[in-house]
Amino acid sequence: MFTIVKKMNLSHDVYWMDIDAPYIARKAQPGQFVILRTGRMGERIPLTIADSDREAGTISLVFQEVGKSTMLMGALKQGDNLDDVVGPLGLPSHIEKLGLVVIVGGGIGIAPVHPIARGFKEAGSKVISILGARSKDLLIMEDEMVKASTEVKVCTDDGSYGQQGFVTNVLEGLIEEGSPIDMVVAIGPVPMMAAVSKLTKPYGIKTMVSLNPIMVDGTGMCGACRVTVGGKIKFACVDGPDFDGHEVDFAELRLRQRMYLSEERDAIETLTYVSE
């Protein structure tokens, strides 16, 4: 059993949980993830580790209620237990000292870029983080990203906070200013990562994205998380989750993520009906 030692609400349907998981906390590196279940027959949910505390023996996870399983997870309270938390899984992000690294986090994607931004800063890189959300009330982890970055730029779709527009508008501004960007790391919705990669490709700016496709076992055995990168089949759980954004087949990824959309809708309707 893995006990939830802290839970807090970051926005109306986004939660932060600290989980008692000493072994995972000791081994976790930026970019890695865990797979968890809320019950013995529950769906396996992959979540990138947003933070970890080796001394306290805890890992921090951030998730959004988007389906039945995450809604069940959102109903758990501090002191409740998760049946399974397996990890750390996946390859750690490659972090080294560079001149300027731009970290782009969109929506819930701000959580997984957090340890990566901190890693690059601790390695001696200048880190400019661009945080995007639909509106101010949906922006998460700004304080944590300020600590993990050299500079933070915020944008919202509706202009309720920071610059009005998308993360690509802010990134394009940096490029046009002539900022000597060595690398861009982008994590967020698939369309956002695709747009960032499309923007940076003509400039030859190395761009890494973290893919979170449908995943089951997390060991490369089931093949559910296969993605096409550079014309080759890769498995996000063992070959990633970080990949060169200029080589990812985002159109295929979007289709695969929608494979079970109708089943997910049915599951949510059933859960809502039972709850009522």
Side-chain angles (χ1 to χ4, degrees):
M1 290 291 187
F2 296 83
T3 303
I4 300 167
V5 298
K6 179 181 178 182
K7 180 189 176 188
M8 58 182 181
N9 194 201
L10 298 183
S11 68
H12 76 286
D13 61 356
V14 177
Y15 297 93
W16 171 294
M17 279 186 178
D18 286 345
I19 312 292
D20 182 42
Y23 175 80
I24 300 174
R26 284 198 302 272
K27 299 289 185 178
Q29 297 183 57
Q32 291 188 297
F33 64 94
V34 296
I35 290 181
L36 59 85
R37 292 189 305 169
T38 56
R40 293 183 62 187
M41 301 301 291
E43 178 185 7
R44 297 166 66 84
I45 307 171
L47 291 172
T48 303
I49 300 169
D51 205 352
S52 60
D53 187 327
R54 295 183 180 182
E55 292 187 3
T58 59
I59 59 171
S60 302
L61 305 175
V62 175
F63 65 96
Q64 184 173 22
E65 292 181 337
V66 293
K68 176 184 175 182
S69 297
T70 47
M71 291 170 72
L72 291 172
M73 190 173 169
L76 296 175
K77 304 181 294 295
Q78 181 175 323
D80 288 343
N81 296 309
L82 298 168
D83 277 44
D84 297 327
V85 181
V86 179
L89 300 169
L91 301 176
S93 299
H94 179 74
I95 291 175
E96 60 181 322
K97 182 180 179 180
L98 297 173
L100 173 58
V101 179
V102 176
I103 302 289
V104 182
I108 193 76
I110 295 172
V113 295
H114 170 246
I116 299 174
R118 184 172 58 195
F120 273 109
K121 185 180 180 185
E122 290 176 349
S125 306
K126 179 180 179 181
V127 175
I128 297 179
S129 293
I130 302 172
L131 312 181
R134 293 201 305 274
S135 59
K136 181 179 181 180
D137 60 318
L138 298 177
L139 181 69
I140 64 170
M141 296 182 65
E142 182 181 7
D143 291 343
E144 289 83 356
M145 289 303 294
V146 167
K147 294 176 183 175
S149 312
T150 310
E151 181 181 350
V152 170
K153 295 178 180 292
V154 177
C155 60
T156 52
D157 296 3
D158 63 0
S160 55
Y161 188 53
Q163 177 179 330
Q164 183 172 12
F166 303 119
V167 293
T168 45
N169 300 132
V170 182
L171 177 58
E172 188 170 24
L174 288 174
I175 295 172
E176 291 178 347
E177 289 172 5
S179 300
I181 303 171
D182 295 291
M183 178 186 289
V184 170
V185 179
I187 305 180
V190 171
M192 187 214 81
M193 292 191 290
V196 168
S197 300
K198 183 179 180 180
L199 171 63
T200 58
K201 189 172 183 177
Y203 298 96
I205 301 172
K206 184 177 181 179
T207 300
M208 300 301 293
V209 296
S210 179
L211 304 186
N212 188 20
I214 294 170
M215 199 173 285
V216 180
D217 65 5
T219 66
M221 298 293 289
C222 72
C225 67
R226 67 180 182 272
V227 293
T228 301
V229 181
K232 298 179 180 178
I233 298 297
K234 300 287 184 180
F235 299 102
C237 64
V238 291
D239 297 319
D242 292 355
F243 293 99
D244 184 338
H246 297 158
E247 296 191 345
V248 173
D249 186 337
F250 286 106
E252 179 193 65
L253 178 60
R254 280 196 290 268
L255 286 174
R256 287 187 58 79
Q257 283 193 318
R258 297 175 62 85
M259 285 176 62
Y260 300 106
L261 199 57
S262 61
E263 288 84 354
E264 187 62 49
R265 286 172 178 160
D266 291 343
I268 293 173
E269 289 179 2
T270 302
L271 177 65
T272 305
Y273 175 75
V274 170
S275 300
E276 290 174 349

